[in-house]
Amino acid sequence: MSTATTAPNIVFILADDLGYADLSVYGQRNYTTPHLDRLAGEGVRFTQAYANSAVCSATRLALITGRYQYRLAAGLEEPIPSNAANIGLPPEHPTLPSLLKAAGYDTALIGKWHLGRPPAFGPLHSGYDRFFGNLGGVVDYFTHKNGVGDDLAPDLYEGTVPVERTGYYTYVLADEAEKYVRERATQANPFFLSLHFTAPHWPWEGPHDEAVSRQLKDLFHYDGGTQRTYGEIVQALDAAVGQVLHALEATGQAENTIVVFTSDNGGERFSDTWPFVGQKTELLEGGLRVPTLLRWPARLQPQVQTQVTATMDWLPTLLAAAQAPEDGQYPSDGVNLLPVLQGQQPVHPRQLFWRYKSQSQRALRDGDWKYLKINEHEFLFHVVDDPRERANLRERQPEVFARLKAAWELRNQDFLEITPQTFTHGLTPDIQADRYVPSRLARHVRK
């Protein structure tokens, strides 16, 4: 049967805290990422792809539901705290894996979950047939624990059963994913594989840094890491992706397999977000704009795509590719990207909404314009002409500013309210010197 008419396999690869320019195909100059560069050359490279949030679990909730995360209590958390027992993705909510499963797909998650812990929540409650990985937000690359100490067990599970593995976590996940892909080559049903790496998230450990792991007092070690170490973490991620791509090719499945690669939010600390400013936990472009690649040789031509996209677009897009219906009671807030990618529709403007509790941040992108509020300061940027968000056009374009601000307020009425109990994580001057709070100075006036 022609691959143009059979349901495609889907491999969705999610990096963790990857900056916009952390791949050489997006401008990285200190190291190379040949496997991801090749994926970009053979498929679609997006230049205006956004994460639904500037932090981890909120974006992951938008990915799996296809909806703004602010519609669910768990989506308000920035991110879901590691010790939260009653916060997570409700099992009754339809998800990308559950909808694909209903359409005849076999589904698996290998890697990071971070959408609530058992017994109330978990991957097997939300549409995945198989799960291997970590339930929380972060693990050590060598011990696979979500903290430091001999009394802690690894946060590593196969299904609901705790397991132990040895090795660098990025490579452990790659080995599991390769095994799954090779097993699927002899199966009749199409498959949906979510491959969610923790790289290049904290802690700052490359593949040869097991000694660093043994010396840590906290996984969030503010005295650790270097640009070189960070580059080694990203290069290991690239090698792991290459391992999975090779397995698809070796088993003859690459032609009709959709491969998506993206990140849950912008980069942090050692990331390269050029040409943008800002980072994870910030609604500046560097905290939201993410490298995004898509390959589907059977149906899509290689291209560089300027269409504005968001994480929540993947549910309607992948369901359309699989010819699987959405759930009418939970309509997606995203859009199907396939008509644009196949040249059937032109690139068109989008309106995207964000808010973030830390620093009382608000943002709205509408066409080429962006409204941004940080604490009491408000801005209007033309983010196509001014991607570094330097020229505040609020006073020069008062009508545009008023329109976008009003649009943000109107859109905000659709969503759950942030409460005093909502957890948030942000940058403070004591942990990152470039986020210092300057003394109040009079604006310089030329005489």
Side-chain angles (χ1 to χ4, degrees):
M1 187 178 294
S2 169
T3 58
T5 58
T6 55
N9 301 315
I10 303 169
V11 177
F12 196 99
I13 306 173
L14 191 63
D16 198 343
D17 297 357
L18 189 70
Y20 184 81
D22 280 341
L23 307 182
S24 43
V25 72
Y26 278 92
Q28 178 57 235
R29 294 174 293 176
N30 295 326
Y31 54 84
T32 61
T33 50
H35 302 290
L36 287 162
D37 293 356
R38 178 188 167 198
L39 185 66
E42 294 174 345
V44 183
R45 177 168 65 89
F46 292 88
T47 60
Q48 298 198 77
Y50 286 91
N52 256 68
S53 175
V55 77
C56 171
S57 59
T59 294
R60 291 165 192 270
L61 194 142
L63 169 63
I64 202 170
T65 66
R67 311 174 82 208
Y68 275 112
Q69 62 273 20
Y70 317 110
R71 298 190 183 280
L72 291 165
L76 302 182
E77 305 296 320
E78 300 169 348
I80 295 175
S82 59
N83 60 351
N86 60 346
I87 302 174
L89 170 61
E92 65 273 14
H93 197 296
T95 63
L96 178 55
S98 74
L99 294 169
L100 287 170
K101 185 176 179 178
Y105 275 71
D106 294 330
T107 60
L109 169 61
I110 295 174
K112 178 174 172 176
W113 168 244
H114 202 187
L115 291 177
R117 289 185 170 273
F121 313 104
L124 301 185
H125 292 315
S126 292
Y128 288 109
D129 299 315
R130 293 174 60 177
F131 169 61
F132 175 91
N134 58 301
L135 291 168
V138 59
V139 293
D140 185 275
Y141 286 93
F142 294 95
T143 68
H144 313 146
K145 297 179 180 181
N146 62 3
V148 177
D150 295 336
D151 56 327
L152 293 177
D155 182 14
L156 189 59
Y157 295 82
E158 190 157 11
T160 59
V161 179
V163 295
E164 293 192 14
R165 293 286 193 277
T166 58
Y168 189 68
Y169 194 48
T170 301
Y171 295 154
V172 170
L173 296 181
D175 289 343
E176 290 291 328
E178 178 185 2
K179 182 171 69 173
Y180 182 81
V181 166
R182 291 186 180 277
E183 289 174 355
R184 298 307 312 172
T186 60
Q187 304 299 311
N189 291 349
F191 69 85
F192 171 60
L193 169 61
S194 295
L195 177 54
H196 294 183
F197 291 99
T198 59
H201 194 290
W202 305 66
W204 310 117
E205 300 166 353
H208 307 293
D209 290 332
E210 190 167 4
V212 174
S213 172
R214 291 194 295 267
Q215 296 166 2
L216 291 184
K217 296 180 180 179
D218 192 320
L219 294 189
F220 293 87
H221 51 137
Y222 294 109
D223 59 349
T226 63
Q227 302 300 147
R228 179 176 179 179
T229 298
Y230 184 79
E232 291 171 352
I233 298 172
V234 176
Q235 287 181 296
L237 171 64
D238 178 72
V241 172
Q243 182 177 338
V244 177
L245 296 180
H246 175 73
L248 288 170
E249 292 156 5
T251 55
Q253 298 179 92
E255 179 71 14
N256 198 33
T257 295
I258 297 172
V259 177
V260 179
F261 176 89
T262 188
S263 180
D264 59 353
N265 46 251
E268 185 180 11
R269 293 179 76 83
F270 300 106
S271 293
D272 189 345
T273 61
W274 181 264
F276 312 119
V277 296
Q279 63 180 68
K280 178 183 177 181
T281 76
E282 298 176 331
L283 298 186
L284 291 152
E285 293 290 284
L288 294 170
R289 197 87 72 99
V290 287
T292 301
L293 309 171
L294 165 64
R295 187 185 73 180
W296 188 10
R299 295 287 295 275
L300 294 178
Q301 295 295 317
Q303 58 192 276
V304 176
Q305 181 56 249
T306 61
Q307 176 63 55
V308 173
T309 71
T311 311
M312 61 191 175
D313 294 336
W314 291 115
L315 181 142
T317 300
L318 296 175
L319 290 182
Q323 299 184 44
E326 294 187 39
D327 188 308
Q329 293 185 315
Y330 298 85
S332 175
D333 293 309
V335 300
N336 173 15
L337 301 171
L338 289 181
V340 172
L341 302 181
Q342 294 173 333
Q344 299 167 358
Q345 291 182 5
V347 173
H348 54 273
R350 295 286 300 279
Q351 186 184 92
L352 298 176
F353 170 99
W354 296 272
R355 68 186 188 199
Y356 199 86
K357 183 177 180 180
S358 177
Q359 310 304 325
S360 302
Q361 297 176 75
R362 301 177 176 185
L364 182 96
R365 175 153 179 179
D366 193 347
D368 295 342
W369 293 100
K370 180 178 175 182
Y371 164 70
L372 178 67
K373 184 175 186 291
I374 306 175
N375 292 321
E376 71 273 20
H377 306 294
E378 293 181 292
F379 305 87
L380 177 69
F381 299 116
H382 192 288
V383 288
V384 173
D385 291 345
D386 177 27
R388 288 183 66 75
E389 297 172 286
R390 296 304 198 199
N392 186 3
L393 302 178
R394 171 183 174 179
E395 296 181 4
R396 186 174 293 186
Q397 298 283 348
E399 294 180 358
V400 178
F401 174 80
R403 175 171 60 83
L404 266 64
K405 181 176 180 179
W408 189 97
E409 296 285 359
L410 181 64
R411 199 74 179 93
N412 189 51
Q413 296 175 19
D414 293 340
F415 305 126
L416 299 177
E417 293 184 6
I418 296 173
T419 70
Q421 292 74 38
T422 301
F423 177 79
T424 186
H425 167 62
L427 298 172
T428 54
D430 58 318
I431 63 172
Q432 196 162 315
D434 61 346
R435 264 47 181 182
Y436 70 96
V437 179
S439 301
R440 190 140 186 102
L441 301 174
R443 187 178 299 179
H444 176 75
V445 179
R446 185 184 297 274
K447 295 182 179 179

